[in-house]
Amino acid sequence: MTPFPRDFRDFPVYFVGIKGTGMAALAELLYRHGAKVNGSDTTEKFYTDEILSRWGIPYIEGFDPSNIPPDTQMVIHSSAYHRKKHPELIEADKRNIPVLEYSEALGAISGMFSSCGITGVHGKTTTTALAGSILKELPLPVSVLAGSGISTFDGNCTLVRGEKYFVAETCEYRRHFLRFHPDRIIVTNIEADHLDYFSGYNDVFSAFLEYTALLPPGGELIYCADDPGASSLAREITRDDLTLIPYGRDAPGEFRISSIEMIPGKISFTLSGWDMEFRLRVPGEHNVLNATAAIALAVILLRKEGLDPDRTLMEKIRKGLAQFSGGNRRSEIIGETGGVLFMDDYGHHPTEISKTLSGLRDFFPDRRLVVDFMSHTYSRTRGLMEEFSKSFKAADEVILHHIYPSAREEDDGAGLDEELFEKVSFHHPKVSYFHEIMDAVPYLEENLKNGDLFITMGAGDNWTLGKKLYESFKERFKDKNRKME
């Protein structure tokens, strides 16, 4: 039984850690459905500050038991905070206020809709965003939640077009997605990751297998036929009451990618089921796969509503794809000044890094590609060291920093910074190391030139370096920029 009322209007909910990407998205979703939302977090600034402020969602910077309003009927907290240790969560228990972790709350909400969980070790945010960009154009009663601000959502994390269908990205870490109630699932890929929790690939795979077991009779699994892990998952499913829907170059059926054309600044592709060309404004063949998964979901939902995906509706799908230009920290363009294009990307797994950089190389073939990478968690860095060392092949220059730690792991990271630098240097001719992020500023101010593309990558805080350099270059070249305007 869901702890939420069927009607969210005026339902008072308090969020502990409201600035987190998923938390802010969920707060926005409940607010847009009429809930009375507020919360608390640290004083550190995130892009979510702007999103929360845009909606007028109040929050307090700092934690204190007195922050929780007297009329609160639900407390939702980030998984970063322990229920028995955080002062506000302890207070909520004292007051007998129901307390849910983020994934529990998302799962409870998903049970109130016909829901689709979008998952994969990487690609889930972009696939969710692409799905939302398409669904925005279609006559479907749907709400979408993505863990990032999305361009086609007017910079917000959610799209609200109705309450029958719900689409959300769902995370495998600590098997959080097992709290979701899916009627259909998209699986983009399966690889080893989150090695502070999972023992290895087989453990990760077992979690995805458990997730698909949650599908009800008549449920659908949309999976990437080009990914070995996702394909293996599909082969493991023996239930005949589920529909398996493959997509990709190797997929049989209507969602087989029959052609891809990459030219600077644009990607176009075709699918075997439709006589039309689809276009993308974001780089990388991996995004063609993500877009195809999103198309498959849209077609399925149209058919659920008794709508034939005819030429008119497929043109709307084409329009939704063509309008998508990314999200916060997903190949996000910060700006261009002095001839240098500044970008930022959240990619922190070796496969993500390799595919993103290769996509940028195809999209911007005439630019020198300089990547600033900050690895996240000692366990991931140690467990995937060889993969990391080979993932920067498409870059012209690589800059590394100390590894961004996580409070959730016991590994002390001893010697890992140096080992990562040595391993990457063995496979790449131009690698620099600056322990602290801002130590790289003088070097980059001197060495970034007209025609370069500078991208910060990782789940750490090196994105601040890109922002600082962009502002520095903008000031340096302001007279030239003014003339160009």
Side-chain angles (χ1 to χ4, degrees):
M1 186 174 183
T2 177
F4 289 99
R6 183 64 213 177
D7 189 342
F8 289 119
R9 282 177 294 184
D10 297 321
F11 182 67
V13 188
Y14 185 81
F15 283 75
V16 178
I18 196 169
K19 294 184 189 181
T21 53
M23 291 284 284
L26 191 58
E28 180 188 314
L29 181 75
L30 291 181
Y31 177 84
R32 296 186 69 180
H33 280 285
K36 182 180 176 184
V37 176
N38 54 47
S40 61
D41 213 316
T42 65
T43 57
E44 188 176 354
K45 297 300 179 186
F46 300 94
Y47 77 87
T48 52
D49 282 272
E50 181 182 343
I51 292 173
L52 294 168
S53 297
R54 186 185 308 143
W55 287 108
I57 298 173
Y59 56 93
I60 297 169
E61 293 188 331
F63 299 116
D64 190 279
S66 64
N67 290 344
I68 305 175
D71 64 343
T72 299
Q73 294 186 38
M74 170 80 64
V75 171
I76 298 172
H77 69 96
S78 163
S79 60
Y81 302 119
H82 195 284
R83 184 165 175 172
K84 300 300 181 184
K85 296 179 181 179
H86 193 282
E88 293 183 355
L89 300 179
I90 292 171
E91 177 66 17
D93 278 335
K94 284 181 181 177
R95 295 195 213 170
N96 294 315
I97 302 170
V99 176
L100 295 178
E101 189 179 325
Y102 166 78
S103 58
E104 293 175 310
L106 182 65
I109 291 169
S110 71
M112 303 167 70
F113 301 84
S114 176
S115 294
C116 175
I118 298 181
T119 191
V121 170
H122 35 263
K124 49 187 170 280
T125 300
T126 301
T127 303
T128 306
L130 284 161
S133 299
I134 291 171
L135 295 171
K136 183 180 179 182
E137 301 300 319
L138 298 175
L140 292 169
V142 62
S143 292
V144 181
L145 181 148
S148 178
I150 306 303
S151 59
T152 40
F153 298 0
D154 298 322
N156 299 311
C157 302
T158 63
L159 174 73
V160 176
R161 287 287 187 272
E163 299 182 351
K164 182 175 181 179
Y165 300 106
F166 181 48
V167 178
E169 65 172 281
T170 55
C171 184
E172 75 280 6
Y173 181 62
R174 293 190 179 276
R175 290 174 160 81
H176 283 158
F177 54 15
L178 297 185
R179 292 164 171 168
F180 201 77
H181 298 277
D183 292 287
R184 55 201 60 87
I185 294 172
I186 292 176
V187 177
T188 59
N189 45 63
I190 304 174
E191 295 187 54
D193 196 13
H194 299 299
L195 298 176
D196 59 314
Y197 173 75
F198 293 111
S199 61
Y201 172 80
N202 289 338
D203 197 14
V204 176
F205 186 86
S206 71
F208 280 86
L209 199 58
E210 288 180 69
Y211 190 29
T212 58
L214 297 178
L215 286 168
E220 294 118 346
L221 173 65
I222 305 166
Y223 70 95
C224 181
D226 296 1
D227 180 73
S231 294
S232 295
L233 179 72
R235 287 194 296 270
E236 287 286 328
I237 296 173
T238 57
R239 291 171 54 185
D240 58 8
D241 61 352
L242 298 180
T243 301
L244 305 186
I245 302 161
Y247 68 90
R249 283 186 181 272
D250 297 332
E254 60 187 337
F255 302 110
R256 179 176 66 85
I257 298 170
S258 48
S259 70
I260 300 176
E261 181 183 7
M262 296 192 186
I263 59 175
K266 186 182 74 172
I267 302 176
S268 63
F269 65 99
T270 58
L271 301 179
S272 59
W274 285 273
D275 182 23
M276 60 173 55
E277 182 183 76
F278 301 92
R279 295 181 180 179
L280 280 174
R281 296 164 56 194
V282 290
E285 187 169 330
H286 60 292
N287 278 322
V288 174
L289 288 168
N290 295 336
T292 304
I295 292 170
L297 175 61
V299 168
I300 289 166
L301 293 184
L302 285 170
R303 288 173 176 160
K304 291 286 181 187
E305 287 292 292
L307 299 171
D308 175 41
D310 58 13
R311 186 84 188 185
T312 300
L313 288 173
M314 293 306 294
E315 286 292 346
K316 291 181 180 294
I317 287 175
R318 270 170 40 104
K319 179 182 176 183
L321 281 184
Q323 290 177 337
F324 180 73
S325 60
N328 289 104
R329 306 222 61 208
R330 270 73 182 180
S331 294
E332 178 185 6
I333 294 177
I334 306 303
E336 183 173 1
T337 184
V340 179
L341 180 62
F342 292 89
M343 297 183 70
D344 177 54
D345 191 89
Y346 188 68
H348 54 281
H349 185 281
T351 303
E352 287 178 303
I353 296 164
S354 178
K355 289 183 176 181
T356 299
L357 294 178
S358 295
L360 289 172
R361 169 62 65 214
D362 292 334
F363 220 61
F364 302 103
D366 298 327
R367 287 186 179 269
R368 189 173 73 104
L369 181 54
V370 181
V371 57
D372 182 279
F373 176 66
M374 188 176 212
S375 194
H376 180 230
T377 79
Y378 301 132
S379 54
R380 178 185 289 115
T381 308
R382 194 183 299 281
L384 301 175
M385 182 65 75
E386 286 303 316
E387 291 86 347
F388 273 119
S389 70
K390 301 171 185 176
S391 63
F392 299 96
K393 181 179 178 181
D396 294 292
E397 182 172 357
V398 182
I399 294 164
L400 300 172
H401 305 284
H402 72 274
I403 295 162
Y404 192 77
S406 171
R408 70 194 187 203
E409 58 184 351
E410 297 178 2
D411 191 329
D412 64 3
L416 275 183
D417 295 359
E418 295 82 359
E419 184 181 354
L420 180 62
F421 172 70
E422 290 171 4
K423 294 279 189 179
V424 175
S425 297
F426 181 79
H427 293 284
H428 200 284
K430 191 165 187 179
V431 185
S432 303
Y433 177 83
F434 297 90
H435 185 78
E436 297 299 333
I437 296 164
M438 294 304 168
D439 289 348
V441 170
Y443 172 80
L444 289 166
E445 285 184 333
E446 181 178 348
N447 286 278
L448 288 178
K449 307 295 183 185
N450 181 22
D452 286 356
L453 190 165
F454 176 76
I455 183 168
T456 47
M457 296 192 76
D461 59 358
N462 60 323
W463 60 270
T464 58
L465 173 62
K467 296 276 190 181
K468 181 175 179 60
L469 286 168
Y470 172 65
E471 293 302 327
S472 172
F473 273 65
K474 192 162 65 170
E475 179 65 23
R476 187 199 305 180
F477 293 100
K478 63 181 180 181
D479 291 337
K480 184 177 180 180
N481 292 336
R482 191 177 296 119
K483 288 176 183 177
M484 290 176 66
E485 291 172 1

